[in-house]
Amino acid sequence: MKEQKLRIPYGSGGLETILPAQARVYTSRIDELPQRGDEDAIVREAMKNPIGSEPLWKLARGKKNAVVIVSDHTRPVPSRHILPFMLEELRRENPEIGITLLVATGCHRGTTPEELEAKLGRDIAQRERIVVHDCEIPESNVDIGVLPSGAHLIVDKAAAEADLLVAEGFIEPHFFAGYSGGRKSVLPGICDRVTVHGNHCAAFIDSPFARTGILEGNPIHRDMEAAARMAGLAYIVNVVIDEEKRVVAAFAGDALEAHAAGCTFLAPYCTLEVEEADIILTSNGGAPLDQNLYQAVKGMTAAEAAAAPGAILILCAECLDGTGGESFYRALAGCASPSALLEEIRKIPMDKTVADQWQYQILARVLEKHRVILVTRPELKETVAAMKMEYAASPGEALERALAAKGKDARIAVIPNGVSVVVKRR
């Protein structure tokens, strides 16, 4: 076997590295997806043939107003290939309908006007009425009921008061909800922090079913679906994107049925059967998903799923926005050990869940069993160390350090894009 040259996604570009001869590279089959025409045509075709629903233009008949939930700056949803057609159908037989684009920030920071323009295009960003959801303002959110878990469902008033609630989105593996898209536009997308915290509680995150690619038996997914129904999410347009973030498939119609169809379609293309490894190298998929350490936990879980006991995990993430959350940083930096932090978290009841708890719970779970080397910007070296990880300047440096610890013949698995795959151990 010979050494291999590979480009790992990182920021808006990538990092070149030379892999040892024994390294096995695992990539999804996402680029094998059968593309049925250009991106706009794919979306239009899906909207002409909605799943479990009437077409959007029929749903809009007689409605005074509609709210379209759109993704925020942290999601690579190709809105420019979805929103124009949703807006067109909403107005097709109801040109006077009032339309609000509600940006689903969940508990993230607010999306800026510049980010909205970059995401939606100048025409839509300047012409349409846009509201950025804020999970922190009680008066802008309203309690509409109780979820199966017992948590209160508190959603943005704009959505609760809409005659018609619809959403765009995209479907990819998600590290604790199973898959993104569909019902996630409502929970966590447009919910009050209280509801998000309940859904992301310690007991749910600890469930063995709250993992990438798992929907059946997943308590987080169950409450998300209930939230979508209770909020009246009537219709979605969700897409599947390839490694270049181009639309390759689309699913429109009923919020639950269309989403389920999309997940079923995607699963065989994104599932990897990986041999257990001593060293796993992966990334968070590049921008925008590797914008901070908080998001980078997602890629770590892909490496975790392929790891032998005591394996070393290497993650490449640019983290232009730093940690992504002060409480997230403080939890890891301030704990005696990942094990001690996990023990503390597991005692926290649902109604006492705090900001970012779920993210540092998952990171602590990974760190309890594995040494993690983070390839990122040198400015974050001290931050990375404080959070119980190791800094490396390049994938090559990280691999060299890992091989020194595990031996030159260590089993190496490389998963170039850790957030786009479902890893199953062979």
Side-chain angles (χ1 to χ4, degrees), residues 247-303:
V247 176
V248 291
F251 302 85
D254 177 80
L256 304 192
E257 291 185 40
H259 180 255
C263 294
T264 299
F265 171 85
L266 176 61
Y269 293 98
C270 67
T271 300
L272 304 180
E273 291 191 359
V274 180
E275 296 279 0
E276 184 179 80
D278 306 305
I279 301 168
I280 301 92
L281 169 64
T282 190
S283 83
N284 220 56
L289 292 178
D290 74 344
Q291 66 187 267
N292 54 49
L293 275 163
Y294 182 98
Q295 295 291 337
V297 175
K298 298 175 181 179
M300 291 181 203
T301 63

Side-chain angles (χ1 to χ4, degrees), residues 346-358:
R346 286 170 176 151
K347 295 175 183 176
I348 299 173
M350 175 185 286
D351 62 352
K352 300 298 182 184
T353 304
V354 297
D356 301 331
Q357 176 185 300
W358 50 93

